[in-house]
Amino acid sequence: PGSIRGYSSSGRLKEGSATTETYDLSVIIPTFNEEENIAAIIGAVNEVFRQNGIRGEILVMDDDSKDRTIEIVQEIAGQHDNVRLIVRKDDHGLSQSVVEGFGAARSAILQVIDADFSHPPELIPRFYEAIQDGADIAIGSRYMRGGNIEDWPLKRRVISLGATAFGRMLFPEITDPVSGFFAVRREVVAGAPLAPRGYKILMEVLGRGWWETFVEIPFIFKDREEGESKLRADTMVDYLKQCAGIVRFAVARRSGPVWTEWTKIVRFGLVGLSGILVNMGLLYALTEVAGLYYLVSAAIAIELSIVNNFVWNDLWTFKSVRDLRFGRRIQRFLSFQVVSMGGLIINMGILYLLADIVGIYYLVANLAGILVAFAWNYAVNRHFTWVE
Ligand code: GDD
């Protein structure tokens, strides 16, 4: 499982009272005009409960559908004790409905799933087990190995990739932070100041919930066969506002996953800048003062700037990272060295490509190279050198 540590709410996640719950798992299904799907999805989820011996409840959070959804669910709820319908009249919205569902649920593990079979219900037990095994959040990911999206028009793919990329800037460790298919431990959201708007409820949970560990589960998103997506342009505006709100919240609280990761990214960047100074200073001194051939000076300057960066990153940037996989500093150094050489090659490759082949001014081309190399260095070192 992946995890983000350094979270200040220590102890808070352990406070559950799972033994007194009526159910083991609550599956929350937000609906708006789902008459074609709702009976089938309820049936499928109940079948999953039965086959896996899960004492589960189903909570349909409906936003006062104009079709027969309410009628259909009322009828099913009359026959099945574990199915409940909540019809919401105010504050229409997918995220708002899910949050209200969190509050109404009668179990310690909360699962969210679309009504339209975009999310395969047979994976529910994997989410349930992941939380039972200790993860605070289990996320269904379309963008990790094994995940995919079927039947999406190009426009939808591009929009989703943009939204996901934006979300990943806040949560670099998570491949699909805008997924609508996820499960959380109730303590994660209980009392969290969720201010949901729009579609991206998971972002809100990640940004304002109390969590430390997460697991991602790959799944294949199948576009709905019945009915149509309710995603509109103002949903995107809502999403951008939501991201801004999460960042403001992280800064105000000065803790939590967004804050923890971004402190590292900023520090890593500052260390990188110090490395450039070391590199330039040494190149000048060794060439002009010591009289070395400039390429020899450059090789020494590059290596010493790598050493400089390593020392600062090890002592400062990643000092909060405990349980390092490479316990020994020398191993971390070798790993950092290899990654940095990769970064150097990327930087020079992009510089050459953009300046020589595309014809962009070489200082601008170099800036692009530095940015990509920076992203590479951070991401790869985070996964291999200072890994938690
Ligand atoms: N209660 C309620 N209120 N439910 C809603 C509303 C609403 O305003 N709008 C949509 N829903 C329900 C639908 O009935 C369906 O069960 C589910 O939410 C998803 O709605 P779609 O309109 O099909 O969503 P989508 O396919 O565009 O978006 C899905 O994928 C996104 C990732 O790209 C959702 O899973 C999103 O949460 C997810 O971010």
Side-chain angles (χ1 to χ4, degrees):
S3 75
I4 293 178
R5 277 174 228 282
Y7 194 55
S8 71
S9 69
S10 47
R12 175 145 192 166
L13 294 169
K14 310 288 173 287
E15 287 167 15
S17 57
T19 45
T20 59
E21 305 295 346
T22 319
Y23 292 100
D24 298 332
L25 173 67
S26 299
V27 172
I28 296 167
I29 312 180
T31 55
F32 186 64
N33 294 349
E34 293 288 357
E35 63 181 8
E36 293 104 332
N37 300 306
I38 191 63
I41 189 83
I42 292 175
V45 172
N46 260 334
E47 184 58 21
V48 168
F49 289 161
R50 198 185 60 75
Q51 282 180 0
N52 294 275
I54 298 173
R55 275 192 315 152
E57 68 165 339
I58 298 175
L59 253 167
V60 178
M61 302 301 301
D62 187 82
D63 263 345
D64 208 8
S65 288
K66 301 299 167 232
D67 65 359
R68 293 185 56 249
T69 307
I70 295 178
E71 215 177 298
I72 296 170
V73 181
Q74 272 168 343
E75 197 184 322
I76 300 175
Q79 297 155 356
H80 297 267
D81 283 348
N82 72 331
V83 178
R84 254 193 304 159
L85 167 70
I86 296 182
V87 180
R88 307 174 67 250
K89 304 276 183 190
D90 307 312
D91 200 17
H92 192 107
L94 169 54
S95 294
Q96 292 94 308
S97 305
V98 170
V99 169
E100 197 174 323
F102 288 159
R106 287 177 292 185
S107 81
I109 302 181
L110 317 171
Q111 168 91 50
V112 183
I113 186 170
D114 283 359
D116 59 6
F117 286 92
S118 314
H119 305 149
E122 57 281 8
L123 286 184
I124 288 175
R126 302 251 331 257
F127 289 75
Y128 176 62
E129 280 158 22
I131 305 280
Q132 280 192 318
D133 287 350
D136 296 319
I137 307 189
I139 302 169
S141 172
R142 300 162 292 172
Y143 296 116
M144 71 192 289
R145 191 193 298 261
N148 207 346
I149 297 173
E150 275 178 7
D151 306 326
W152 256 15
L154 187 66
K155 181 179 158 214
R156 188 78 210 265
R157 273 177 200 269
V158 171
I159 292 174
S160 171
L161 270 178
T164 310
F166 215 81
R168 275 202 210 176
M169 282 172 29
L170 299 188
F171 306 101
E173 301 288 289
I174 296 174
T175 64
D176 199 351
V178 298
S179 173
F181 193 22
F182 63 94
V184 288
R185 194 183 294 288
R186 192 172 53 199
E187 286 83 8
V188 171
V189 290
L194 303 182
R197 279 283 163 280
Y199 262 47
K200 310 300 178 193
I201 175 61
L202 177 58
M203 285 283 287
E204 197 67 21
V205 171
L206 291 171
R208 297 178 198 251
W210 309 96
W211 60 279
E212 287 177 347
T213 53
F214 71 94
V215 170
E216 285 196 294
I217 296 165
F219 82 101
I220 296 175
F221 186 104
K222 291 201 180 56
D223 203 15
R224 54 169 65 241
E225 282 168 15
E226 303 296 340
E228 57 184 49
S229 166
K230 285 114 197 164
L231 199 130
R232 296 197 316 273
D234 54 356
T235 346
M236 284 180 247
V237 177
D238 279 342
Y239 176 58
L240 295 182
K241 283 190 195 156
Q242 185 187 23
C243 290
I246 289 172
V247 171
R248 272 199 306 273
F249 180 74
V251 170
R253 188 165 71 165
R254 289 184 188 279
S255 67
V258 175
W259 177 259
T260 312
E261 198 63 30
W262 272 90
T263 321
K264 295 193 186 85
I265 295 175
V266 169
R267 286 181 178 179
F268 197 81
L270 291 174
V271 169
L273 286 179
S274 84
I276 293 177
L277 291 181
V278 169
N279 188 334
M280 302 277 272
L282 281 173
L283 177 61
Y284 177 83
L286 293 174
T287 312
E288 302 293 330
V289 184
L292 293 181
Y293 178 53
Y294 83 99
L295 282 182
V296 176
S297 314
I300 299 172
I302 288 171
E303 184 51 37
L304 290 179
S305 68
I306 290 177
V307 172
N308 167 79
N309 290 6
F310 174 76
V311 171
W312 285 109
N313 282 327
D314 207 53
L315 296 179
W316 184 52
T317 311
F318 294 106
K319 77 164 188 272
S320 65
V321 179
R322 285 153 295 165
D323 305 329
L324 291 166
R325 184 188 294 168
F326 288 155
R328 300 237 303 282
R329 182 160 286 156
I330 198 80
Q331 280 163 304
R332 291 203 292 278
F333 176 70
L334 290 178
S335 171
F336 182 74
Q337 173 83 45
V338 172
V339 177
S340 301
M341 297 316 269
L344 199 66
I345 292 169
I346 290 173
N347 192 338
M348 290 178 69
I350 290 178
L351 171 61
Y352 174 76
L353 201 85
L354 292 183
D356 244 62
I357 312 221
V358 183
I360 292 175
Y361 181 54
Y362 77 103
L363 287 182
V364 177
N366 194 36
L367 203 63
I370 289 175
L371 284 177
V372 178
F374 174 78
W376 153 273
N377 279 342
Y378 184 79
V380 180
N381 277 310
R382 187 82 175 86
H383 277 97
F384 293 103
T385 312
W386 289 281
V387 62
E388 294 175 70

